[in-house]
Amino acid sequence: MDWNVIISYLPRYKDALLLTLRIGWQGVLFALITGILCALVIYLKIPVLRQIIGIYIEVFRNTPLLVQLFFIYFALPKIGLQLSPEACGVLGLSLLGGAYMAETIRSGLENIAVIQSESAESLGMSKSQTFRYVIFPQALSSSVPGIMANVIFLLKETSVFSTISLMDLMFTAKDLIGMYAKTIECLTMLVVFYLIMILPVSILGNILERRLRFAEFGS
Amino acid sequence: MKQSLLEIKHLNKAYGENIILKSFNLKVEKGDVVVVIGPSGCGKSTLLRCINALEDIQGGEILIGGEPISRNAKNISTMRQKVGMVFQSYDLFPHKTILDNVLLAPIKVQKRKRNEVEKEALELLGKVGLADRKNDYPRQLSGGQKQRVAIVRALIMHPDILLLDEITAALDPEMVREVLEVVISLAKSGSTMMIVTHEMAFAKAIATRVLFLENGEIVEESKEPKAFFESPQTERAKKFLKSFEY
């Protein structure tokens, strides 16, 4: 291991990390919003929209991100929709993540016992109040482990961005290996930088999970 | 004629083919403590759920203070506020503190001011011996304590009638007592209640009226609860009460 090489590569890895993070957090944010909206539509059994979202979820959960990105990056311009590589990355992550988040949050919603809405309604709360103050907060908190797992999954999936010429971590490592053949240094740095990006999320997830764990101790 | 607090006229309730309540009639006056007993499946819990419009009904009418309560009516929120309900499994909101469990409905539904309701909430929690637990979460409380909070949560809405659905069925014997003592003091203060229970000693102590139900019908009704529990008139009630003796 050549430490001088590692030190000289640091700035490039740092830039790549920042790019990956920038696309990553936007993707995660939009994925979460998409997921919540889709889960709501399914939970509230809104006709037609619900079927459309069902198809969306199945398509995006059952195809690789790489394929989705190729579609967004190479096929959409053919119908006149040209997006920057970065926007493609965000869109790809949002759509893939949205499908995963929707499933996670939907199952969280469906796991809240019927008696919870009955006790809220018996106090005179309307259906929307019951949902806002009683059902949704509980569903969201019981979905936290699943949501955090999705976030970690999405951040790892960013490694396919290199294929649409985004200079993310994976791209940087491959590029440097190609130029200078310092394979061990480059790959070790790659692992370390992914850990720098994802470990804090993992730890945050554990903390959140512990703080929000009321449901499983019973009402 | 005087308006009854609760009047049930020819109530029919069925789950599909399965008929639960058949042309059920009942009048409850202010201050009544009506204890409903009967074998499981006799329709007693369903009866309470119908009164609170948690069930669709197939016929008849339920009037609270002369006004019909119905699941799909526009005024359902107003009507439900007149009927307090406490369930067997207490079902506090696990993501809210004890105080917030109690405050949620008065603030959101009745639009009362937080500091005014909070004062009342602490007073009521104090009466059931739980004022010092106001900042705890439901998971930190015992079953009996949770059930007392559930009673407070219903009371703070100032319901005209309180429905208690087997509220001690999920509790340890010692906790049963602490909960039932709260109910007894409510009865003494003149609250109108309808109570479904399997605690016969409690029923005897608290009831001003007893209904014995089987197959969705009143088999025996008594305004002399002491006499009913000592010598029921119908064979069926005799047999039922005997099953509690050893």
Side-chain angles (χ1 to χ4, degrees):
Chain A
M1 191 91 79
D2 186 341
W3 290 99
N4 290 327
V5 169
I6 290 183
I7 288 164
S8 69
Y9 287 175
L10 270 178
R12 284 207 55 188
Y13 273 91
K14 194 200 78 192
D15 290 345
L17 176 71
L18 291 179
L19 174 89
T20 312
L21 270 178
R22 193 165 65 235
I23 300 174
W25 85 259
Q26 291 180 66
V28 164
L29 182 70
F30 289 125
L32 200 55
I33 295 170
T34 313
I36 290 174
L37 292 178
C38 292
L40 276 181
V41 169
I42 298 173
Y43 180 75
L44 298 174
K45 302 194 172 70
I46 298 172
V48 190
L49 211 50
R50 175 182 168 210
Q51 277 80 12
I52 296 172
I53 283 170
I55 294 170
Y56 153 66
I57 290 174
E58 290 314 319
V59 168
F60 279 84
R61 278 206 331 154
N62 297 308
T63 51
L65 179 60
L66 187 58
V67 175
Q68 296 166 16
L69 278 182
F70 272 24
F71 231 93
I72 296 167
Y73 190 64
F74 296 114
L76 286 188
K78 305 270 180 224
I79 56 165
L81 200 65
Q82 182 105 42
L83 295 171
S84 71
E86 217 176 300
C88 286
V90 172
L91 184 61
L93 269 194
S94 309
L95 289 172
L96 172 75
Y100 274 88
M101 295 291 190
E103 282 295 277
T104 305
I105 295 163
R106 177 194 59 81
S107 81
L109 284 169
E110 284 169 1
N111 275 335
I112 306 303
V114 180
I115 187 94
Q116 281 286 320
S117 17
E118 286 184 343
S119 35
E121 282 171 29
S122 79
L123 290 164
M125 281 191 230
S126 66
K127 289 228 184 302
S128 68
Q129 286 175 325
T130 300
F131 187 81
R132 247 169 77 197
Y133 302 121
V134 177
I135 306 300
F136 188 66
Q138 289 186 57
L140 202 58
S141 73
S142 74
S143 305
V144 161
I147 290 173
M148 294 317 280
N150 290 345
V151 172
I152 291 168
F153 161 76
L154 289 175
L155 290 179
K156 287 192 290 195
E157 283 293 292
T158 57
S159 60
V160 304
F161 285 169
S162 56
T163 56
I164 55 167
S165 67
L166 275 169
M167 300 221 278
D168 75 325
L169 286 169
M170 194 69 202
F171 182 96
T172 304
K174 280 197 290 191
D175 196 33
L176 288 171
I177 292 172
M179 286 193 292
Y180 309 110
K182 299 282 182 193
T183 312
I184 298 208
E185 286 81 358
C186 283
L187 290 181
T188 309
M189 286 178 85
L190 185 61
V191 170
V192 170
F193 270 83
Y194 270 117
L195 286 176
I196 291 174
M197 177 167 72
I198 298 174
L199 262 184
V201 178
S202 222
I203 293 166
L204 175 74
N206 287 339
I207 295 171
L208 269 182
E209 213 176 304
R210 237 174 295 136
R211 291 206 46 184
L212 293 173
R213 198 185 286 163
F214 14 72
E216 64 195 72
F217 289 86
S219 47
Chain B
M1 210 183 82
K2 194 172 131 284
Q3 182 64 62
S4 296
L5 200 160
L6 164 70
E7 187 170 1
I8 302 176
K9 292 187 203 165
H10 307 292
L11 171 64
N12 285 314
K13 168 69 198 169
Y15 294 111
E17 299 282 285
N18 191 6
I19 295 166
I20 310 291
L21 296 165
K22 277 176 272 194
S23 191
F24 191 94
N25 292 295
L26 182 71
K27 278 187 183 176
V28 176
E29 309 299 335
K30 195 170 172 355
D32 277 354
V33 177
V34 183
V35 169
V36 187
I37 58 171
S40 15
C42 70
K44 51 194 191 312
S45 286
T46 308
L47 175 63
L48 294 195
R49 292 175 57 84
C50 287
I51 297 171
N52 203 9
L54 288 172
E55 299 283 342
D56 287 315
I57 59 175
Q58 279 70 47
E61 215 179 8
I62 299 169
L63 305 170
I64 315 276
E67 271 185 275
I69 179 166
S70 148
R71 206 168 147 72
N72 301 312
K74 275 222 164 73
N75 66 348
I76 180 66
S77 170
T78 324
M79 292 308 291
R80 273 199 178 124
Q81 290 172 50
K82 301 182 182 192
V83 185
M85 178 126 180
V86 183
F87 299 86
Q88 177 178 334
S89 45
Y90 17 93
D91 297 292
L92 299 179
F93 307 130
H95 59 303
K96 294 201 172 290
T97 61
I98 297 312
L99 186 61
D100 286 336
N101 259 277
V102 177
L103 296 183
L104 183 63
I107 290 176
K108 299 296 178 194
V109 179
Q110 297 178 327
K111 312 284 179 211
R112 284 157 69 187
K113 291 222 164 41
R114 190 181 169 97
N115 45 12
E116 174 249 329
V117 213
E118 190 169 325
K119 199 166 149 257
E120 189 186 349
L122 290 175
E123 224 174 86
L124 286 170
L125 283 172
K127 275 189 191 160
V128 302
L130 291 170
D132 56 331
R133 306 301 298 272
K134 63 178 174 147
N135 294 323
D136 287 345
Y137 282 91
R139 63 162 188 269
Q140 295 165 291
L141 268 58
S142 72
Q145 291 170 328
K146 282 189 262 197
Q147 197 57 291
R148 283 181 275 157
V149 175
I151 293 172
V152 169
R153 186 174 68 173
L155 283 179
I156 198 154
M157 302 297 282
H158 305 147
D160 295 338
I161 182 169
L162 196 57
L163 311 176
L164 308 179
D165 187 7
E166 296 197 37
I167 57 166
T168 58
L171 300 179
D172 293 342
E174 282 179 346
M175 293 175 182
V176 170
R177 184 151 202 108
E178 62 185 43
V179 171
L180 293 186
E181 271 166 7
V182 169
V183 180
I184 288 171
S185 76
L186 282 176
K188 279 190 186 139
S189 68
S191 301
T192 312
M193 291 190 274
M194 250 180 106
I195 303 174
V196 166
T197 186
H198 287 295
E199 302 283 337
M200 291 305 143
F202 162 71
K204 193 171 160 181
I206 197 173
T208 62
R209 285 170 66 190
V210 185
L211 302 181
F212 177 70
L213 258 62
E214 189 175 41
N215 298 326
E217 287 173 316
I218 299 177
V219 175
E220 187 169 343
E221 178 174 4
S222 172
K223 297 206 169 174
E224 310 268 335
K226 302 257 169 346
F228 169 83
F229 284 104
E230 267 141 42
S231 54
Q233 299 302 301
T234 58
E235 281 307 310
R236 187 60 192 96
K238 258 182 213 159
K239 202 171 149 233
F240 177 75
L241 287 177
K242 218 163 170 102
S243 67
F244 289 89
E245 287 168 18
Y246 289 95

